[in-house]
Amino acid sequence: MPATDPILPATNGVIRRSGCAADTVAEAGAVSLDVLAARRARSLPPGVRYELKGVAFTLPPVRALPVDLPESAGGDTAELLRLVLGEEMIGRMAAAGFTLGDFELVCEDWRRRNGLADGTAPLLPAAVRPGGSR
């Protein structure tokens, strides 16, 4: 096999695509996903601002959450929402008279806007969770 490919130019570890920033190859066989991850992050929808009973808050897209946060919630959307909002906001909601039904409404709308079907947890598949089956 020849040392160089007559069709592809030498890249010195940098692959350039028309109209894209460079993806770098740190070591043989390793591909940097930094450019792709940044592109995906930019393509996420903006957070959704909710207002209810005089309390306003913004929820980010589920795919923008830290990877360990859904696991901390144990698959429970309401618990995930509590972690995202924080105890201070939950206290403000309670003081404003939020009911469990109100909270459920927020959970349902957030799930719908993130393309999560009812009854599915916003978690990574078990195969990619820490300690999950491979």
Side-chain angles (χ1 to χ4, degrees):
M1 175 175 252
T4 60
D5 187 325
I7 297 172
L8 296 175
T11 62
N12 293 331
V14 177
I15 301 169
R16 299 195 189 283
R17 292 191 187 103
S18 174
C20 293
D23 291 323
T24 60
V25 178
E27 56 184 74
V31 176
S32 171
L33 296 176
D34 291 327
V35 171
L36 295 176
R39 188 178 309 142
R40 175 169 282 181
R42 285 190 305 271
S43 74
L44 289 174
V48 176
R49 182 175 168 85
Y50 292 94
E51 296 180 26
L52 181 63
K53 299 184 180 185
V55 177
F57 53 94
T58 301
L59 293 174
V62 168
R63 286 176 175 68
L65 297 176
V67 71
D68 61 341
L69 198 59
E71 185 72 20
S72 299
D76 181 353
T77 304
E79 183 59 24
L80 180 60
L81 191 57
R82 290 179 65 86
L83 292 170
V84 169
L85 291 170
E87 291 306 315
E88 182 181 330
M89 181 56 72
I90 297 297
R92 287 183 53 210
M93 292 171 149
F98 271 57
T99 65
L100 290 176
D102 295 332
F103 200 69
E104 183 178 52
L105 177 66
V106 174
C107 289
E108 289 170 358
D109 188 74
W110 191 42
R111 291 178 70 80
R112 182 185 58 77
R113 289 177 184 275
N114 282 280
L116 300 169
D118 288 339
T120 61
L123 298 174
L124 296 171
V128 295
R129 275 189 252 142
S133 60
R134 299 226 185 263

PDB file of all heavy atoms in Angstrom, residues 88-114:
ATOM      1  N   GLU A  88     -34.346  26.981  45.593  1.00  0.00           N
ATOM      2  CA  GLU A  88     -34.849  28.354  45.765  1.00  0.00           C
ATOM      3  C   GLU A  88     -36.069  28.591  44.878  1.00  0.00           C
ATOM      4  O   GLU A  88     -37.089  29.131  45.336  1.00  0.00           O
ATOM      5  CB  GLU A  88     -33.758  29.367  45.439  1.00  0.00           C
ATOM      6  CG  GLU A  88     -34.207  30.806  45.636  1.00  0.00           C
ATOM      7  CD  GLU A  88     -33.111  31.799  45.294  1.00  0.00           C
ATOM      8  OE1 GLU A  88     -31.914  31.487  45.456  1.00  0.00           O
ATOM      9  OE2 GLU A  88     -33.479  32.899  44.856  1.00  0.00           O
ATOM     10  N   MET A  89     -35.993  28.178  43.614  1.00  0.00           N
ATOM     11  CA  MET A  89     -37.131  28.356  42.703  1.00  0.00           C
ATOM     12  C   MET A  89     -38.301  27.486  43.122  1.00  0.00           C
ATOM     13  O   MET A  89     -39.456  27.919  43.058  1.00  0.00           O
ATOM     14  CB  MET A  89     -36.721  28.044  41.267  1.00  0.00           C
ATOM     15  CG  MET A  89     -37.852  28.222  40.253  1.00  0.00           C
ATOM     16  SD  MET A  89     -38.615  29.863  40.251  1.00  0.00           S
ATOM     17  CE  MET A  89     -37.320  30.824  39.504  1.00  0.00           C
ATOM     18  N   ILE A  90     -38.039  26.271  43.568  1.00  0.00           N
ATOM     19  CA  ILE A  90     -39.117  25.399  44.036  1.00  0.00           C
ATOM     20  C   ILE A  90     -39.826  26.061  45.221  1.00  0.00           C
ATOM     21  O   ILE A  90     -41.053  26.039  45.324  1.00  0.00           O
ATOM     22  CB  ILE A  90     -38.582  23.995  44.419  1.00  0.00           C
ATOM     23  CG1 ILE A  90     -37.991  23.292  43.190  1.00  0.00           C
ATOM     24  CG2 ILE A  90     -39.660  23.143  45.083  1.00  0.00           C
ATOM     25  CD1 ILE A  90     -38.981  23.006  42.080  1.00  0.00           C
ATOM     26  N   GLY A  91     -39.061  26.687  46.110  1.00  0.00           N
ATOM     27  CA  GLY A  91     -39.648  27.415  47.238  1.00  0.00           C
ATOM     28  C   GLY A  91     -40.522  28.569  46.769  1.00  0.00           C
ATOM     29  O   GLY A  91     -41.600  28.808  47.332  1.00  0.00           O
ATOM     30  N   ARG A  92     -40.068  29.302  45.752  1.00  0.00           N
ATOM     31  CA  ARG A  92     -40.873  30.410  45.203  1.00  0.00           C
ATOM     32  C   ARG A  92     -42.166  29.873  44.594  1.00  0.00           C
ATOM     33  O   ARG A  92     -43.225  30.488  44.723  1.00  0.00           O
ATOM     34  CB  ARG A  92     -40.077  31.176  44.150  1.00  0.00           C
ATOM     35  CG  ARG A  92     -38.980  32.041  44.745  1.00  0.00           C
ATOM     36  CD  ARG A  92     -38.235  32.866  43.722  1.00  0.00           C
ATOM     37  NE  ARG A  92     -39.136  33.664  42.903  1.00  0.00           N
ATOM     38  CZ  ARG A  92     -38.887  34.004  41.645  1.00  0.00           C
ATOM     39  NH1 ARG A  92     -37.767  33.624  41.060  1.00  0.00           N
ATOM     40  NH2 ARG A  92     -39.742  34.734  40.959  1.00  0.00           N
ATOM     41  N   MET A  93     -42.063  28.729  43.931  1.00  0.00           N
ATOM     42  CA  MET A  93     -43.258  28.131  43.343  1.00  0.00           C
ATOM     43  C   MET A  93     -44.258  27.738  44.433  1.00  0.00           C
ATOM     44  O   MET A  93     -45.453  28.005  44.308  1.00  0.00           O
ATOM     45  CB  MET A  93     -42.878  26.901  42.507  1.00  0.00           C
ATOM     46  CG  MET A  93     -42.102  27.214  41.270  1.00  0.00           C
ATOM     47  SD  MET A  93     -41.486  25.667  40.533  1.00  0.00           S
ATOM     48  CE  MET A  93     -41.479  26.118  38.805  1.00  0.00           C
ATOM     49  N   ALA A  94     -43.749  27.105  45.473  1.00  0.00           N
ATOM     50  CA  ALA A  94     -44.622  26.695  46.578  1.00  0.00           C
ATOM     51  C   ALA A  94     -45.272  27.911  47.225  1.00  0.00           C
ATOM     52  O   ALA A  94     -46.477  27.900  47.512  1.00  0.00           O
ATOM     53  CB  ALA A  94     -43.823  25.890  47.604  1.00  0.00           C
ATOM     54  N   ALA A  95     -44.488  28.965  47.442  1.00  0.00           N
ATOM     55  CA  ALA A  95     -45.022  30.184  48.066  1.00  0.00           C
ATOM     56  C   ALA A  95     -46.086  30.845  47.186  1.00  0.00           C
ATOM     57  O   ALA A  95     -47.010  31.479  47.688  1.00  0.00           O
ATOM     58  CB  ALA A  95     -43.881  31.160  48.347  1.00  0.00           C
ATOM     59  N   ALA A  96     -45.974  30.686  45.862  1.00  0.00           N
ATOM     60  CA  ALA A  96     -46.945  31.275  44.937  1.00  0.00           C
ATOM     61  C   ALA A  96     -48.215  30.431  44.831  1.00  0.00           C
ATOM     62  O   ALA A  96     -49.181  30.849  44.206  1.00  0.00           O
ATOM     63  CB  ALA A  96     -46.313  31.437  43.553  1.00  0.00           C
ATOM     64  N   GLY A  97     -48.191  29.235  45.421  1.00  0.00           N
ATOM     65  CA  GLY A  97     -49.378  28.384  45.403  1.00  0.00           C
ATOM     66  C   GLY A  97     -49.399  27.340  44.307  1.00  0.00           C
ATOM     67  O   GLY A  97     -50.459  26.823  43.954  1.00  0.00           O
ATOM     68  N   PHE A  98     -48.225  26.992  43.765  1.00  0.00           N
ATOM     69  CA  PHE A  98     -48.181  25.922  42.767  1.00  0.00           C
ATOM     70  C   PHE A  98     -48.731  24.645  43.388  1.00  0.00           C
ATOM     71  O   PHE A  98     -48.448  24.329  44.547  1.00  0.00           O
ATOM     72  CB  PHE A  98     -46.735  25.653  42.334  1.00  0.00           C
ATOM     73  CG  PHE A  98     -46.257  26.481  41.178  1.00  0.00           C
ATOM     74  CD1 PHE A  98     -46.284  27.858  41.237  1.00  0.00           C
ATOM     75  CD2 PHE A  98     -45.748  25.872  40.040  1.00  0.00           C
ATOM     76  CE1 PHE A  98     -45.830  28.621  40.178  1.00  0.00           C
ATOM     77  CE2 PHE A  98     -45.283  26.632  38.970  1.00  0.00           C
ATOM     78  CZ  PHE A  98     -45.328  28.014  39.036  1.00  0.00           C
ATOM     79  N   THR A  99     -49.497  23.908  42.609  1.00  0.00           N
ATOM     80  CA  THR A  99     -49.996  22.601  43.041  1.00  0.00           C
ATOM     81  C   THR A  99     -49.181  21.518  42.340  1.00  0.00           C
ATOM     82  O   THR A  99     -48.419  21.805  41.404  1.00  0.00           O
ATOM     83  CB  THR A  99     -51.480  22.436  42.651  1.00  0.00           C
ATOM     84  OG1 THR A  99     -51.572  22.426  41.221  1.00  0.00           O
ATOM     85  CG2 THR A  99     -52.338  23.555  43.242  1.00  0.00           C
ATOM     86  N   LEU A 100     -49.374  20.284  42.764  1.00  0.00           N
ATOM     87  CA  LEU A 100     -48.712  19.172  42.069  1.00  0.00           C
ATOM     88  C   LEU A 100     -49.189  19.097  40.620  1.00  0.00           C
ATOM     89  O   LEU A 100     -48.415  18.778  39.723  1.00  0.00           O
ATOM     90  CB  LEU A 100     -48.980  17.856  42.788  1.00  0.00           C
ATOM     91  CG  LEU A 100     -48.287  17.697  44.135  1.00  0.00           C
ATOM     92  CD1 LEU A 100     -48.704  16.381  44.795  1.00  0.00           C
ATOM     93  CD2 LEU A 100     -46.779  17.765  43.992  1.00  0.00           C
ATOM     94  N   GLY A 101     -50.452  19.443  40.405  1.00  0.00           N
ATOM     95  CA  GLY A 101     -50.984  19.470  39.040  1.00  0.00           C
ATOM     96  C   GLY A 101     -50.287  20.521  38.186  1.00  0.00           C
ATOM     97  O   GLY A 101     -50.011  20.289  37.009  1.00  0.00           O
ATOM     98  N   ASP A 102     -49.997  21.687  38.772  1.00  0.00           N
ATOM     99  CA  ASP A 102     -49.264  22.732  38.050  1.00  0.00           C
ATOM    100  C   ASP A 102     -47.875  22.228  37.680  1.00  0.00           C
ATOM    101  O   ASP A 102     -47.400  22.424  36.565  1.00  0.00           O
ATOM    102  CB  ASP A 102     -49.128  24.004  38.901  1.00  0.00           C
ATOM    103  CG  ASP A 102     -50.465  24.672  39.185  1.00  0.00           C
ATOM    104  OD1 ASP A 102     -51.407  24.534  38.378  1.00  0.00           O
ATOM    105  OD2 ASP A 102     -50.552  25.337  40.236  1.00  0.00           O
ATOM    106  N   PHE A 103     -47.218  21.608  38.638  1.00  0.00           N
ATOM    107  CA  PHE A 103     -45.866  21.103  38.412  1.00  0.00           C
ATOM    108  C   PHE A 103     -45.876  20.013  37.343  1.00  0.00           C
ATOM    109  O   PHE A 103     -45.015  19.959  36.472  1.00  0.00           O
ATOM    110  CB  PHE A 103     -45.286  20.588  39.737  1.00  0.00           C
ATOM    111  CG  PHE A 103     -43.798  20.492  39.750  1.00  0.00           C
ATOM    112  CD1 PHE A 103     -43.007  21.629  39.724  1.00  0.00           C
ATOM    113  CD2 PHE A 103     -43.167  19.260  39.797  1.00  0.00           C
ATOM    114  CE1 PHE A 103     -41.627  21.550  39.736  1.00  0.00           C
ATOM    115  CE2 PHE A 103     -41.786  19.163  39.810  1.00  0.00           C
ATOM    116  CZ  PHE A 103     -41.019  20.311  39.779  1.00  0.00           C
ATOM    117  N   GLU A 104     -46.902  19.167  37.400  1.00  0.00           N
ATOM    118  CA  GLU A 104     -47.051  18.111  36.395  1.00  0.00           C
ATOM    119  C   GLU A 104     -47.253  18.717  35.007  1.00  0.00           C
ATOM    120  O   GLU A 104     -46.699  18.230  34.019  1.00  0.00           O
ATOM    121  CB  GLU A 104     -48.235  17.226  36.764  1.00  0.00           C
ATOM    122  CG  GLU A 104     -48.445  16.047  35.831  1.00  0.00           C
ATOM    123  CD  GLU A 104     -49.603  15.195  36.287  1.00  0.00           C
ATOM    124  OE1 GLU A 104     -50.703  15.732  36.513  1.00  0.00           O
ATOM    125  OE2 GLU A 104     -49.403  13.973  36.399  1.00  0.00           O
ATOM    126  N   LEU A 105     -48.027  19.803  34.918  1.00  0.00           N
ATOM    127  CA  LEU A 105     -48.247  20.486  33.656  1.00  0.00           C
ATOM    128  C   LEU A 105     -46.925  20.989  33.069  1.00  0.00           C
ATOM    129  O   LEU A 105     -46.658  20.823  31.873  1.00  0.00           O
ATOM    130  CB  LEU A 105     -49.212  21.655  33.854  1.00  0.00           C
ATOM    131  CG  LEU A 105     -49.495  22.519  32.631  1.00  0.00           C
ATOM    132  CD1 LEU A 105     -50.245  21.718  31.566  1.00  0.00           C
ATOM    133  CD2 LEU A 105     -50.288  23.746  33.049  1.00  0.00           C
ATOM    134  N   VAL A 106     -46.083  21.578  33.903  1.00  0.00           N
ATOM    135  CA  VAL A 106     -44.771  22.052  33.455  1.00  0.00           C
ATOM    136  C   VAL A 106     -43.939  20.866  32.961  1.00  0.00           C
ATOM    137  O   VAL A 106     -43.328  20.929  31.895  1.00  0.00           O
ATOM    138  CB  VAL A 106     -44.035  22.819  34.574  1.00  0.00           C
ATOM    139  CG1 VAL A 106     -42.618  23.172  34.149  1.00  0.00           C
ATOM    140  CG2 VAL A 106     -44.801  24.072  34.967  1.00  0.00           C
ATOM    141  N   CYS A 107     -43.917  19.778  33.740  1.00  0.00           N
ATOM    142  CA  CYS A 107     -43.168  18.574  33.344  1.00  0.00           C
ATOM    143  C   CYS A 107     -43.635  18.067  31.987  1.00  0.00           C
ATOM    144  O   CYS A 107     -42.813  17.760  31.111  1.00  0.00           O
ATOM    145  CB  CYS A 107     -43.333  17.466  34.374  1.00  0.00           C
ATOM    146  SG  CYS A 107     -42.493  17.736  35.928  1.00  0.00           S
ATOM    147  N   GLU A 108     -44.947  17.964  31.796  1.00  0.00           N
ATOM    148  CA  GLU A 108     -45.496  17.442  30.547  1.00  0.00           C
ATOM    149  C   GLU A 108     -45.131  18.337  29.364  1.00  0.00           C
ATOM    150  O   GLU A 108     -44.755  17.848  28.303  1.00  0.00           O
ATOM    151  CB  GLU A 108     -47.018  17.307  30.649  1.00  0.00           C
ATOM    152  CG  GLU A 108     -47.457  16.185  31.549  1.00  0.00           C
ATOM    153  CD  GLU A 108     -48.954  16.211  31.832  1.00  0.00           C
ATOM    154  OE1 GLU A 108     -49.671  17.128  31.347  1.00  0.00           O
ATOM    155  OE2 GLU A 108     -49.415  15.305  32.547  1.00  0.00           O
ATOM    156  N   ASP A 109     -45.245  19.655  29.544  1.00  0.00           N
ATOM    157  CA  ASP A 109     -44.921  20.563  28.446  1.00  0.00           C
ATOM    158  C   ASP A 109     -43.440  20.507  28.108  1.00  0.00           C
ATOM    159  O   ASP A 109     -43.055  20.499  26.941  1.00  0.00           O
ATOM    160  CB  ASP A 109     -45.339  22.002  28.787  1.00  0.00           C
ATOM    161  CG  ASP A 109     -45.184  22.904  27.580  1.00  0.00           C
ATOM    162  OD1 ASP A 109     -46.020  22.791  26.650  1.00  0.00           O
ATOM    163  OD2 ASP A 109     -44.217  23.692  27.544  1.00  0.00           O
ATOM    164  N   TRP A 110     -42.586  20.466  29.141  1.00  0.00           N
ATOM    165  CA  TRP A 110     -41.134  20.396  28.935  1.00  0.00           C
ATOM    166  C   TRP A 110     -40.769  19.124  28.174  1.00  0.00           C
ATOM    167  O   TRP A 110     -39.976  19.138  27.243  1.00  0.00           O
ATOM    168  CB  TRP A 110     -40.435  20.479  30.282  1.00  0.00           C
ATOM    169  CG  TRP A 110     -38.958  20.685  30.230  1.00  0.00           C
ATOM    170  CD1 TRP A 110     -38.250  21.520  29.415  1.00  0.00           C
ATOM    171  CD2 TRP A 110     -37.993  20.049  31.065  1.00  0.00           C
ATOM    172  NE1 TRP A 110     -36.901  21.452  29.703  1.00  0.00           N
ATOM    173  CE2 TRP A 110     -36.724  20.554  30.715  1.00  0.00           C
ATOM    174  CE3 TRP A 110     -38.079  19.118  32.090  1.00  0.00           C
ATOM    175  CZ2 TRP A 110     -35.552  20.147  31.339  1.00  0.00           C
ATOM    176  CZ3 TRP A 110     -36.913  18.719  32.725  1.00  0.00           C
ATOM    177  CH2 TRP A 110     -35.658  19.226  32.339  1.00  0.00           C
ATOM    178  N   ARG A 111     -41.385  17.998  28.572  1.00  0.00           N
ATOM    179  CA  ARG A 111     -41.134  16.726  27.888  1.00  0.00           C
ATOM    180  C   ARG A 111     -41.562  16.825  26.417  1.00  0.00           C
ATOM    181  O   ARG A 111     -40.836  16.429  25.514  1.00  0.00           O
ATOM    182  CB  ARG A 111     -41.891  15.583  28.561  1.00  0.00           C
ATOM    183  CG  ARG A 111     -41.373  15.219  29.931  1.00  0.00           C
ATOM    184  CD  ARG A 111     -42.219  14.106  30.540  1.00  0.00           C
ATOM    185  NE  ARG A 111     -41.989  12.868  29.836  1.00  0.00           N
ATOM    186  CZ  ARG A 111     -40.933  12.077  30.033  1.00  0.00           C
ATOM    187  NH1 ARG A 111     -40.029  12.400  30.919  1.00  0.00           N
ATOM    188  NH2 ARG A 111     -40.789  10.973  29.353  1.00  0.00           N
ATOM    189  N   ARG A 112     -42.747  17.366  26.191  1.00  0.00           N
ATOM    190  CA  ARG A 112     -43.286  17.478  24.829  1.00  0.00           C
ATOM    191  C   ARG A 112     -42.363  18.339  23.966  1.00  0.00           C
ATOM    192  O   ARG A 112     -42.029  17.972  22.842  1.00  0.00           O
ATOM    193  CB  ARG A 112     -44.689  18.075  24.861  1.00  0.00           C
ATOM    194  CG  ARG A 112     -45.340  18.181  23.489  1.00  0.00           C
ATOM    195  CD  ARG A 112     -46.684  18.879  23.552  1.00  0.00           C
ATOM    196  NE  ARG A 112     -46.614  20.219  24.097  1.00  0.00           N
ATOM    197  CZ  ARG A 112     -46.181  21.302  23.426  1.00  0.00           C
ATOM    198  NH1 ARG A 112     -45.751  21.176  22.181  1.00  0.00           N
ATOM    199  NH2 ARG A 112     -46.156  22.491  23.993  1.00  0.00           N
ATOM    200  N   ARG A 113     -41.929  19.461  24.492  1.00  0.00           N
ATOM    201  CA  ARG A 113     -41.060  20.365  23.732  1.00  0.00           C
ATOM    202  C   ARG A 113     -39.697  19.741  23.437  1.00  0.00           C
ATOM    203  O   ARG A 113     -39.006  20.177  22.525  1.00  0.00           O
ATOM    204  CB  ARG A 113     -40.866  21.677  24.482  1.00  0.00           C
ATOM    205  CG  ARG A 113     -42.098  22.525  24.498  1.00  0.00           C
ATOM    206  CD  ARG A 113     -41.888  23.792  25.312  1.00  0.00           C
ATOM    207  NE  ARG A 113     -43.086  24.553  25.402  1.00  0.00           N
ATOM    208  CZ  ARG A 113     -43.508  25.429  24.487  1.00  0.00           C
ATOM    209  NH1 ARG A 113     -42.786  25.635  23.404  1.00  0.00           N
ATOM    210  NH2 ARG A 113     -44.632  26.074  24.660  1.00  0.00           N
ATOM    211  N   ASN A 114     -39.293  18.747  24.216  1.00  0.00           N
ATOM    212  CA  ASN A 114     -38.010  18.088  24.024  1.00  0.00           C
ATOM    213  C   ASN A 114     -38.143  16.765  23.290  1.00  0.00           C
ATOM    214  O   ASN A 114     -37.183  16.003  23.204  1.00  0.00           O
ATOM    215  CB  ASN A 114     -37.323  17.884  25.377  1.00  0.00           C
ATOM    216  CG  ASN A 114     -36.691  19.160  25.863  1.00  0.00           C
ATOM    217  OD1 ASN A 114     -35.608  19.529  25.426  1.00  0.00           O
ATOM    218  ND2 ASN A 114     -37.376  19.875  26.748  1.00  0.00           N
TER     219      ASN A 114
END
